[in-house]
């Protein structure tokens, strides 16, 4: 298995699935930055640690698969399928994340994440089920 994919799997399996925040330095360089999780706001390792903890509190057990993975030079791109359930209601949760990461020395130094946050929060019951359709029609969520 290519090393970049192994690193990405460790990122998801150890950090997101198992909640092992001590794995962060193994997969992310000390100066690594991630974008896209909350718009264009960059996250450093401390911010990322808080984010993982908050998201994991919302979800039950997490399963991750990688239907598409492409590597080129220092870059890896992957479509990541995430399945879980709401920790509050037990309702199923199924979202996709598009990751594009740049690697140096076996660690990720730049992570661009395009997770479907709107769908995630709809499935968690934190947004109306048809939030996207409501907003596309020009209406506001109240």
């Amino acid at each position: 298995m290519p090393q970049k994919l192994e690193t990405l799997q460790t990122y998801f399996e150890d950090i997101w699935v198992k909640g092992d925040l001590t794995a962060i330095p193994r997969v992310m360089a000390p100066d690594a930055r991630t974008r896209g999780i909350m718009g264009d706001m960059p996250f450093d390792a401390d911010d990322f640690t808080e984010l993982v903890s908050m998201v994991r509190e919302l979800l039950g057990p997490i399963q991750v698969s990688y239907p598409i993975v492409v590597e080129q030079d220092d870059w890896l791109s992957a479509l990541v399928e995430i399945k879980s359930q709401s920790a509050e209601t037990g309702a199923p949760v199924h979202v996709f994340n598009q990751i594009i990461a740049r690697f140096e020395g076996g660690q990720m130094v730049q992570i661009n994440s395009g997770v479907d946050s709107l769908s995630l929060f709809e499935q968690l019951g934190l947004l109306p089920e048809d939030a996207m359709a409501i907003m596309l029609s020009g209406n506001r969520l109240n």
Side-chain angles (χ1 to χ4, degrees):
M1 176 183 310
Q3 189 236 345
K4 291 181 198 72
L5 177 56
E6 284 183 23
T7 301
L8 184 71
Q9 287 175 325
T10 298
Y11 170 83
F12 277 103
E13 297 297 328
D14 289 1
I15 297 169
W16 290 99
V17 173
K18 296 175 185 172
D20 179 6
L21 300 176
T22 65
I24 292 173
R26 290 196 309 267
V27 297
M28 295 173 67
D31 59 344
R33 296 290 180 265
T34 183
R35 286 184 178 270
I37 294 172
M38 290 183 58
D40 198 35
M41 182 171 54
F43 277 73
D44 61 19
D46 290 336
D47 298 328
F48 182 72
T49 298
E50 287 184 46
L51 176 73
V52 169
S53 297
M54 288 187 288
V55 171
R56 285 183 43 79
E57 286 182 25
L58 297 172
L59 298 172
I62 300 169
Q63 298 173 325
V64 180
S65 62
Y66 312 89
I68 302 171
V69 177
V70 177
E71 290 189 34
Q72 181 176 347
D73 302 323
D74 294 335
W75 293 90
L76 176 134
S77 177
L79 179 64
V80 182
E81 185 173 12
I82 302 162
K83 294 180 181 179
S84 186
Q85 61 194 38
S86 166
E88 183 179 334
T89 67
V93 173
H94 182 209
V95 295
F96 288 91
N97 187 356
Q98 174 64 50
I99 295 280
I100 301 173
R102 185 171 61 83
F103 287 74
E104 286 181 3
Q107 292 180 307
M108 294 184 283
V109 294
Q110 181 181 348
I111 305 166
N112 299 289
S113 176
V115 68
D116 184 0
S117 299
L118 185 64
S119 177
L120 171 65
F121 290 118
E122 283 179 358
Q123 293 174 58
L124 289 171
L126 299 172
L127 284 173
E129 187 175 321
D130 297 323
M132 179 65 84
I134 292 167
M135 292 182 293
L136 285 172
S137 70
N139 292 303
R140 296 183 189 275
L141 297 176
N142 293 323

mmCIF file of all heavy atoms in Angstrom, residues 3-4 7-8 27-29 31-34 70 72-78 99-113:
data_model
loop_
_atom_site.group_PDB
_atom_site.id
_atom_site.type_symbol
_atom_site.label_atom_id
_atom_site.label_comp_id
_atom_site.label_asym_id
_atom_site.label_seq_id
_atom_site.Cartn_x
_atom_site.Cartn_y
_atom_site.Cartn_z
ATOM 1 N N GLN A 3 2.511 4.772 0.819
ATOM 2 C CA GLN A 3 2.708 5.389 2.127
ATOM 3 C C GLN A 3 1.738 6.539 2.385
ATOM 4 O O GLN A 3 1.255 6.697 3.498
ATOM 5 C CB GLN A 3 4.162 5.874 2.248
ATOM 6 C CG GLN A 3 4.493 6.322 3.640
ATOM 7 C CD GLN A 3 5.012 7.738 3.688
ATOM 8 O OE1 GLN A 3 5.384 8.312 2.685
ATOM 9 N NE2 GLN A 3 5.013 8.308 4.856
ATOM 10 N N LYS A 4 1.434 7.336 1.380
ATOM 11 C CA LYS A 4 0.512 8.457 1.589
ATOM 12 C C LYS A 4 -0.876 7.951 1.986
ATOM 13 O O LYS A 4 -1.515 8.513 2.871
ATOM 14 C CB LYS A 4 0.441 9.331 0.338
ATOM 15 C CG LYS A 4 1.705 10.107 0.057
ATOM 16 C CD LYS A 4 1.522 10.964 -1.200
ATOM 17 C CE LYS A 4 2.825 11.407 -1.765
ATOM 18 N NZ LYS A 4 3.585 10.337 -2.404
ATOM 19 N N THR A 7 -0.844 6.857 5.558
ATOM 20 C CA THR A 7 -0.898 8.021 6.446
ATOM 21 C C THR A 7 -2.319 8.558 6.540
ATOM 22 O O THR A 7 -2.803 8.879 7.627
ATOM 23 C CB THR A 7 0.071 9.114 5.956
ATOM 24 O OG1 THR A 7 1.390 8.580 5.930
ATOM 25 C CG2 THR A 7 0.043 10.336 6.863
ATOM 26 N N LEU A 8 -3.011 8.642 5.405
ATOM 27 C CA LEU A 8 -4.399 9.118 5.414
ATOM 28 C C LEU A 8 -5.287 8.168 6.215
ATOM 29 O O LEU A 8 -6.146 8.617 6.987
ATOM 30 C CB LEU A 8 -4.926 9.261 3.982
ATOM 31 C CG LEU A 8 -6.339 9.853 3.894
ATOM 32 C CD1 LEU A 8 -6.303 11.335 4.263
ATOM 33 C CD2 LEU A 8 -6.906 9.658 2.503
ATOM 34 N N VAL A 27 0.998 11.912 11.852
ATOM 35 C CA VAL A 27 0.500 12.080 10.490
ATOM 36 C C VAL A 27 0.538 13.522 9.998
ATOM 37 O O VAL A 27 0.530 13.766 8.792
ATOM 38 C CB VAL A 27 -0.929 11.515 10.333
ATOM 39 C CG1 VAL A 27 -0.937 10.020 10.589
ATOM 40 C CG2 VAL A 27 -1.918 12.225 11.223
ATOM 41 N N MET A 28 0.569 14.474 10.915
ATOM 42 C CA MET A 28 0.568 15.891 10.542
ATOM 43 C C MET A 28 1.853 16.551 11.027
ATOM 44 O O MET A 28 2.216 16.422 12.189
ATOM 45 C CB MET A 28 -0.644 16.607 11.144
ATOM 46 C CG MET A 28 -1.972 16.125 10.599
ATOM 47 S SD MET A 28 -3.409 16.837 11.458
ATOM 48 C CE MET A 28 -3.277 18.563 10.999
ATOM 49 N N ALA A 29 2.512 17.272 10.131
ATOM 50 C CA ALA A 29 3.713 18.012 10.507
ATOM 51 C C ALA A 29 3.339 19.078 11.540
ATOM 52 O O ALA A 29 2.193 19.525 11.594
ATOM 53 C CB ALA A 29 4.328 18.659 9.265
ATOM 54 N N ASP A 31 3.792 22.176 11.669
ATOM 55 C CA ASP A 31 3.273 23.417 11.093
ATOM 56 C C ASP A 31 2.159 23.164 10.077
ATOM 57 O O ASP A 31 1.802 24.042 9.302
ATOM 58 C CB ASP A 31 4.402 24.213 10.444
ATOM 59 C CG ASP A 31 5.100 23.436 9.339
ATOM 60 O OD1 ASP A 31 4.930 22.203 9.266
ATOM 61 O OD2 ASP A 31 5.818 24.066 8.540
ATOM 62 N N ALA A 32 1.571 21.969 10.103
ATOM 63 C CA ALA A 32 0.506 21.618 9.155
ATOM 64 C C ALA A 32 -0.703 22.516 9.358
ATOM 65 O O ALA A 32 -1.017 22.925 10.471
ATOM 66 C CB ALA A 32 0.112 20.159 9.322
ATOM 67 N N ARG A 33 -1.356 22.789 8.264
ATOM 68 C CA ARG A 33 -2.585 23.575 8.290
ATOM 69 C C ARG A 33 -3.649 22.830 7.508
ATOM 70 O O ARG A 33 -3.370 22.201 6.498
ATOM 71 C CB ARG A 33 -2.382 24.963 7.668
ATOM 72 C CG ARG A 33 -1.398 25.840 8.420
ATOM 73 C CD ARG A 33 -1.993 26.283 9.764
ATOM 74 N NE ARG A 33 -1.081 27.129 10.505
ATOM 75 C CZ ARG A 33 -0.245 26.693 11.437
ATOM 76 N NH1 ARG A 33 -0.183 25.428 11.728
ATOM 77 N NH2 ARG A 33 0.533 27.521 12.090
ATOM 78 N N THR A 34 -4.867 22.904 8.001
ATOM 79 C CA THR A 34 -5.985 22.294 7.292
ATOM 80 C C THR A 34 -7.024 23.371 7.008
ATOM 81 O O THR A 34 -7.236 24.259 7.821
ATOM 82 C CB THR A 34 -6.575 21.117 8.090
ATOM 83 O OG1 THR A 34 -7.605 20.503 7.336
ATOM 84 C CG2 THR A 34 -7.084 21.520 9.439
ATOM 85 N N VAL A 70 -6.175 9.011 -5.411
ATOM 86 C CA VAL A 70 -5.240 9.338 -6.483
ATOM 87 C C VAL A 70 -4.017 9.991 -5.852
ATOM 88 O O VAL A 70 -4.148 10.927 -5.059
ATOM 89 C CB VAL A 70 -5.874 10.308 -7.511
ATOM 90 C CG1 VAL A 70 -4.874 10.691 -8.579
ATOM 91 C CG2 VAL A 70 -7.132 9.708 -8.115
ATOM 92 N N GLN A 72 -0.179 11.761 -6.707
ATOM 93 C CA GLN A 72 0.736 12.303 -7.709
ATOM 94 C C GLN A 72 1.780 13.155 -6.996
ATOM 95 O O GLN A 72 1.432 14.105 -6.286
ATOM 96 C CB GLN A 72 0.000 13.156 -8.741
ATOM 97 C CG GLN A 72 0.924 13.694 -9.800
ATOM 98 C CD GLN A 72 0.182 14.459 -10.888
ATOM 99 O OE1 GLN A 72 -1.029 14.402 -10.989
ATOM 100 N NE2 GLN A 72 0.929 15.182 -11.683
ATOM 101 N N ASP A 73 3.031 12.809 -7.185
ATOM 102 C CA ASP A 73 4.147 13.525 -6.568
ATOM 103 C C ASP A 73 3.919 13.627 -5.061
ATOM 104 O O ASP A 73 3.766 12.621 -4.402
ATOM 105 C CB ASP A 73 4.343 14.898 -7.226
ATOM 106 C CG ASP A 73 4.585 14.792 -8.728
ATOM 107 O OD1 ASP A 73 5.263 13.844 -9.154
ATOM 108 O OD2 ASP A 73 4.072 15.647 -9.473
ATOM 109 N N ASP A 74 3.883 14.850 -4.515
ATOM 110 C CA ASP A 74 3.712 15.051 -3.074
ATOM 111 C C ASP A 74 2.247 15.114 -2.643
ATOM 112 O O ASP A 74 1.952 15.407 -1.488
ATOM 113 C CB ASP A 74 4.392 16.359 -2.636
ATOM 114 C CG ASP A 74 5.899 16.309 -2.792
ATOM 115 O OD1 ASP A 74 6.455 15.191 -2.777
ATOM 116 O OD2 ASP A 74 6.514 17.373 -2.932
ATOM 117 N N TRP A 75 1.340 14.866 -3.562
ATOM 118 C CA TRP A 75 -0.086 15.063 -3.309
ATOM 119 C C TRP A 75 -0.859 13.752 -3.271
ATOM 120 O O TRP A 75 -0.533 12.805 -3.973
ATOM 121 C CB TRP A 75 -0.691 15.959 -4.386
ATOM 122 C CG TRP A 75 -0.173 17.349 -4.324
ATOM 123 C CD1 TRP A 75 0.923 17.847 -4.973
ATOM 124 C CD2 TRP A 75 -0.706 18.421 -3.567
ATOM 125 N NE1 TRP A 75 1.093 19.166 -4.659
ATOM 126 C CE2 TRP A 75 0.108 19.555 -3.800
ATOM 127 C CE3 TRP A 75 -1.795 18.547 -2.703
ATOM 128 C CZ2 TRP A 75 -0.141 20.785 -3.209
ATOM 129 C CZ3 TRP A 75 -2.038 19.780 -2.122
ATOM 130 C CH2 TRP A 75 -1.215 20.876 -2.369
ATOM 131 N N LEU A 76 -1.912 13.743 -2.461
ATOM 132 C CA LEU A 76 -2.857 12.654 -2.426
ATOM 133 C C LEU A 76 -4.255 13.267 -2.425
ATOM 134 O O LEU A 76 -4.516 14.232 -1.710
ATOM 135 C CB LEU A 76 -2.684 11.803 -1.166
ATOM 136 C CG LEU A 76 -3.711 10.676 -0.992
ATOM 137 C CD1 LEU A 76 -3.015 9.398 -0.596
ATOM 138 C CD2 LEU A 76 -4.760 11.052 0.010
ATOM 139 N N SER A 77 -5.130 12.731 -3.237
ATOM 140 C CA SER A 77 -6.530 13.139 -3.258
ATOM 141 C C SER A 77 -7.370 11.902 -3.000
ATOM 142 O O SER A 77 -7.111 10.842 -3.563
ATOM 143 C CB SER A 77 -6.884 13.752 -4.614
ATOM 144 O OG SER A 77 -8.260 14.082 -4.647
ATOM 145 N N ALA A 78 -8.365 12.040 -2.152
ATOM 146 C CA ALA A 78 -9.200 10.877 -1.828
ATOM 147 C C ALA A 78 -10.637 11.304 -1.591
ATOM 148 O O ALA A 78 -10.901 12.328 -0.954
ATOM 149 C CB ALA A 78 -8.668 10.165 -0.591
ATOM 150 N N ILE A 99 -10.683 14.920 0.280
ATOM 151 C CA ILE A 99 -9.428 15.358 0.890
ATOM 152 C C ILE A 99 -8.376 15.518 -0.197
ATOM 153 O O ILE A 99 -8.205 14.630 -1.031
ATOM 154 C CB ILE A 99 -8.912 14.313 1.903
ATOM 155 C CG1 ILE A 99 -9.858 14.168 3.084
ATOM 156 C CG2 ILE A 99 -7.501 14.625 2.365
ATOM 157 C CD1 ILE A 99 -9.729 15.225 4.123
ATOM 158 N N ILE A 100 -7.688 16.636 -0.156
ATOM 159 C CA ILE A 100 -6.503 16.835 -0.991
ATOM 160 C C ILE A 100 -5.390 17.250 -0.034
ATOM 161 O O ILE A 100 -5.508 18.264 0.654
ATOM 162 C CB ILE A 100 -6.719 17.899 -2.072
ATOM 163 C CG1 ILE A 100 -7.888 17.513 -2.978
ATOM 164 C CG2 ILE A 100 -5.436 18.108 -2.884
ATOM 165 C CD1 ILE A 100 -8.291 18.583 -3.963
ATOM 166 N N ALA A 101 -4.345 16.444 0.045
ATOM 167 C CA ALA A 101 -3.287 16.698 1.021
ATOM 168 C C ALA A 101 -1.915 16.692 0.345
ATOM 169 O O ALA A 101 -1.661 15.898 -0.557
ATOM 170 C CB ALA A 101 -3.314 15.647 2.122
ATOM 171 N N ARG A 102 -1.059 17.592 0.835
ATOM 172 C CA ARG A 102 0.334 17.632 0.385
ATOM 173 C C ARG A 102 1.191 17.057 1.498
ATOM 174 O O ARG A 102 0.988 17.348 2.675
ATOM 175 C CB ARG A 102 0.765 19.064 0.055
ATOM 176 C CG ARG A 102 2.169 19.151 -0.544
ATOM 177 C CD ARG A 102 2.469 20.557 -1.053
ATOM 178 N NE ARG A 102 2.415 21.552 -0.003
ATOM 179 C CZ ARG A 102 3.395 21.841 0.845
ATOM 180 N NH1 ARG A 102 4.547 21.179 0.774
ATOM 181 N NH2 ARG A 102 3.245 22.770 1.754
ATOM 182 N N PHE A 103 2.169 16.250 1.097
ATOM 183 C CA PHE A 103 3.013 15.525 2.041
ATOM 184 C C PHE A 103 4.456 15.992 1.957
ATOM 185 O O PHE A 103 4.945 16.330 0.889
ATOM 186 C CB PHE A 103 2.979 14.017 1.730
ATOM 187 C CG PHE A 103 1.698 13.352 2.093
ATOM 188 C CD1 PHE A 103 0.556 13.541 1.330
ATOM 189 C CD2 PHE A 103 1.626 12.532 3.201
ATOM 190 C CE1 PHE A 103 -0.632 12.920 1.660
ATOM 191 C CE2 PHE A 103 0.440 11.906 3.545
ATOM 192 C CZ PHE A 103 -0.689 12.102 2.761
ATOM 193 N N GLU A 104 5.120 16.002 3.100
ATOM 194 C CA GLU A 104 6.571 16.186 3.193
ATOM 195 C C GLU A 104 7.075 15.210 4.240
ATOM 196 O O GLU A 104 6.563 15.189 5.358
ATOM 197 C CB GLU A 104 6.928 17.614 3.613
ATOM 198 C CG GLU A 104 6.733 18.647 2.539
ATOM 199 C CD GLU A 104 7.124 20.048 3.002
ATOM 200 O OE1 GLU A 104 7.609 20.212 4.145
ATOM 201 O OE2 GLU A 104 6.916 20.986 2.218
ATOM 202 N N GLY A 105 8.047 14.401 3.870
ATOM 203 C CA GLY A 105 8.652 13.474 4.825
ATOM 204 C C GLY A 105 7.668 12.520 5.470
ATOM 205 O O GLY A 105 7.794 12.213 6.653
ATOM 206 N N GLY A 106 6.670 12.079 4.754
ATOM 207 C CA GLY A 106 5.723 11.114 5.290
ATOM 208 C C GLY A 106 4.601 11.701 6.118
ATOM 209 O O GLY A 106 3.757 10.962 6.626
ATOM 210 N N GLN A 107 4.580 13.018 6.296
ATOM 211 C CA GLN A 107 3.518 13.665 7.063
ATOM 212 C C GLN A 107 2.756 14.636 6.171
ATOM 213 O O GLN A 107 3.290 15.189 5.211
ATOM 214 C CB GLN A 107 4.098 14.455 8.233
ATOM 215 C CG GLN A 107 4.713 13.612 9.312
ATOM 216 C CD GLN A 107 5.252 14.490 10.427
ATOM 217 O OE1 GLN A 107 6.022 15.410 10.176
ATOM 218 N NE2 GLN A 107 4.851 14.201 11.647
ATOM 219 N N MET A 108 1.497 14.866 6.534
ATOM 220 C CA MET A 108 0.696 15.857 5.820
ATOM 221 C C MET A 108 1.077 17.247 6.317
ATOM 222 O O MET A 108 1.172 17.474 7.523
ATOM 223 C CB MET A 108 -0.792 15.592 6.035
ATOM 224 C CG MET A 108 -1.258 14.297 5.407
ATOM 225 S SD MET A 108 -3.040 14.031 5.542
ATOM 226 C CE MET A 108 -3.170 13.517 7.252
ATOM 227 N N VAL A 109 1.315 18.152 5.374
ATOM 228 C CA VAL A 109 1.651 19.526 5.737
ATOM 229 C C VAL A 109 0.554 20.495 5.307
ATOM 230 O O VAL A 109 0.477 21.612 5.801
ATOM 231 C CB VAL A 109 3.001 19.975 5.142
ATOM 232 C CG1 VAL A 109 4.140 19.185 5.756
ATOM 233 C CG2 VAL A 109 3.016 19.880 3.643
ATOM 234 N N GLN A 110 -0.262 20.056 4.385
ATOM 235 C CA GLN A 110 -1.362 20.885 3.904
ATOM 236 C C GLN A 110 -2.539 19.959 3.644
ATOM 237 O O GLN A 110 -2.419 18.983 2.904
ATOM 238 C CB GLN A 110 -0.956 21.588 2.613
ATOM 239 C CG GLN A 110 -1.996 22.482 2.029
ATOM 240 C CD GLN A 110 -1.501 23.122 0.730
ATOM 241 O OE1 GLN A 110 -0.323 23.068 0.400
ATOM 242 N NE2 GLN A 110 -2.404 23.721 0.002
ATOM 243 N N ILE A 111 -3.667 20.246 4.280
ATOM 244 C CA ILE A 111 -4.852 19.412 4.118
ATOM 245 C C ILE A 111 -6.008 20.306 3.709
ATOM 246 O O ILE A 111 -6.345 21.259 4.407
ATOM 247 C CB ILE A 111 -5.213 18.672 5.419
ATOM 248 C CG1 ILE A 111 -4.025 17.863 5.926
ATOM 249 C CG2 ILE A 111 -6.435 17.798 5.220
ATOM 250 C CD1 ILE A 111 -4.180 17.391 7.355
ATOM 251 N N ASN A 112 -6.584 19.993 2.574
ATOM 252 C CA ASN A 112 -7.775 20.690 2.106
ATOM 253 C C ASN A 112 -8.920 19.687 2.170
ATOM 254 O O ASN A 112 -8.866 18.638 1.537
ATOM 255 C CB ASN A 112 -7.574 21.201 0.679
ATOM 256 C CG ASN A 112 -6.431 22.185 0.613
ATOM 257 O OD1 ASN A 112 -6.537 23.292 1.103
ATOM 258 N ND2 ASN A 112 -5.312 21.752 0.068
ATOM 259 N N SER A 113 -9.931 20.022 2.953
ATOM 260 C CA SER A 113 -11.011 19.088 3.219
ATOM 261 C C SER A 113 -12.330 19.676 2.750
ATOM 262 O O SER A 113 -12.679 20.798 3.108
ATOM 263 C CB SER A 113 -11.075 18.817 4.731
ATOM 264 O OG SER A 113 -12.155 17.997 5.040
#
